[in-house]
Amino acid sequence: RAQGNLEGAIQDFDQAIKINPQFAQALVDRGIAYANKGETDRAIADYDQAILLNPRDAVPHPHCAVRAGLSRPCSLVLGLSWP
């Protein structure tokens, strides 16, 4: 998709997640797209789901924490261990 087409990107990530609900990176990327649209709650929900699927993956933690205004990784808020 062309850069800046957030709706199109979200649709692509929706399709990828529909095909493979365990695709944590698609959740992270869709969360970033939501965050760029200003849909913080949806972004955080995607980051949280990605963290639950793969708690040891460091990628979603900073995105989630920054968007949620947290001073610690979201996994710690969710009660999960973090590397």
Side-chain angles (χ1 to χ4, degrees):
R1 299 261 177 188
Q3 187 175 11
N5 183 357
L6 295 175
E7 281 302 322
I10 289 169
Q11 290 173 4
D12 288 347
F13 295 129
D14 287 345
Q15 186 64 27
I17 294 163
K18 182 178 178 181
I19 292 168
N20 180 3
Q22 305 300 308
F23 191 5
Q25 186 60 52
L27 286 159
V28 172
D29 292 340
R30 186 175 70 179
I32 292 168
Y34 280 137
N36 286 329
K37 284 184 62 185
E39 296 183 32
T40 305
D41 290 342
R42 293 180 91 174
I44 292 170
D46 277 353
Y47 302 145
D48 286 347
Q49 184 61 33
I51 290 167
L52 289 172
L53 288 172
N54 190 0
R56 294 229 171 268
D57 183 0
V59 172
H61 294 273
H63 292 292
C64 182
V66 168
R67 294 296 176 184
L70 302 173
S71 60
R72 56 193 175 147
C74 290
S75 60
L76 298 178
V77 174
L78 294 171
L80 303 172
S81 62
W82 190 58

